Amino acid sequence: MARIFIIEDEPVAAKNISRILKEEGYEIAGIASDCEKASEMINTKQVDLVVCNLYLKFTFSGKDIIQLIRSVKNIPFVFLSSYTHDARLNSILRTKSEIYLSSPYTKEQLLGSINRLLRNLSRFNSSNVPPLIVL
């Protein structure tokens, strides 16, 4: 099963996402509350997908997170946020960051998005990025 890394600065949210993914059979590759720690951990582990809060406190923007991590590995992202229209989101969407889920999202939406993205990954080689899916 896929190894998923979680970047979330709210401990309760991180624990909930982790629980949902474990119940579905996914392996948690790690959890970090900031971009710097996440980048260090992801660069040393096998990670198939990243679930990331788009608006982390006191850290990089989602666009910066993608650039930092993708400078080493081409890993797809599922972004989570309660914001739907602002400058940062528009910037992320221009980077084709794969999937964006607007809160509140359901367990089924999260798992469906992850499953769909992982299925799509097999269709792309390492030099291509899967298409954006906005839910």
Side-chain angles (χ1 to χ4, degrees), residues 8-69:
E8 174 59 69
D9 58 354
E10 296 292 334
V12 172
K15 185 175 182 178
N16 188 43
I17 294 166
S18 176
R19 179 188 52 76
I20 289 169
L21 296 177
K22 285 179 183 177
E23 286 174 359
E24 190 68 13
Y26 290 111
E27 184 177 340
I28 304 304
I31 300 174
S33 60
D34 65 74
C35 183
E36 296 88 351
K37 183 177 178 184
S39 179
E40 290 172 16
M41 293 173 72
I42 288 170
N43 290 335
T44 62
K45 296 179 180 222
Q46 179 196 345
V47 176
D48 300 307
L49 184 137
V50 175
V51 174
C52 180
N53 177 346
L54 182 59
Y55 292 95
L56 298 169
K57 297 174 191 167
F58 313 112
T59 190
F60 296 113
S61 70
K63 182 178 178 181
D64 294 329
I65 293 168
I66 289 174
Q67 291 172 344
L68 181 63
I69 293 172

Side-chain angles (χ1 to χ4, degrees), residues 18 34 46 53 68 73 81 91 96 105 115 122 124-125 130:
S18 176
D34 65 74
Q46 179 196 345
N53 177 346
L68 181 63
K73 293 183 178 181
S81 177
S91 177
K96 298 190 186 300
Y105 54 86
N115 291 332
S122 63
F124 297 91
N125 65 36

Side-chain angles (χ1 to χ4, degrees), residues 30-135:
I31 300 174
S33 60
D34 65 74
C35 183
E36 296 88 351
K37 183 177 178 184
S39 179
E40 290 172 16
M41 293 173 72
I42 288 170
N43 290 335
T44 62
K45 296 179 180 222
Q46 179 196 345
V47 176
D48 300 307
L49 184 137
V50 175
V51 174
C52 180
N53 177 346
L54 182 59
Y55 292 95
L56 298 169
K57 297 174 191 167
F58 313 112
T59 190
F60 296 113
S61 70
K63 182 178 178 181
D64 294 329
I65 293 168
I66 289 174
Q67 291 172 344
L68 181 63
I69 293 172
R70 286 211 176 129
S71 68
V72 178
K73 293 183 178 181
N74 188 17
I75 300 173
F77 282 77
V78 174
F79 281 107
L80 309 172
S81 177
S82 58
Y83 297 99
T84 56
H85 298 290
D86 67 20
R88 252 204 281 192
L89 177 58
N90 290 333
S91 177
I92 293 298
L93 295 178
R94 282 195 302 270
T95 66
K96 298 190 186 300
S97 58
E98 290 84 25
I99 295 179
Y100 172 81
L101 279 177
S102 180
S103 296
Y105 54 86
T106 66
K107 172 183 174 179
E108 290 76 19
Q109 288 172 316
L110 176 62
L111 293 173
S113 297
I114 290 170
N115 291 332
R116 183 171 46 244
L117 181 55
L118 290 171
R119 278 194 313 270
N120 288 341
L121 282 177
S122 63
R123 298 178 192 161
F124 297 91
N125 65 36
S126 62
S127 64
N128 292 322
V129 177
L132 168 71
I133 302 169
V134 179
L135 301 175

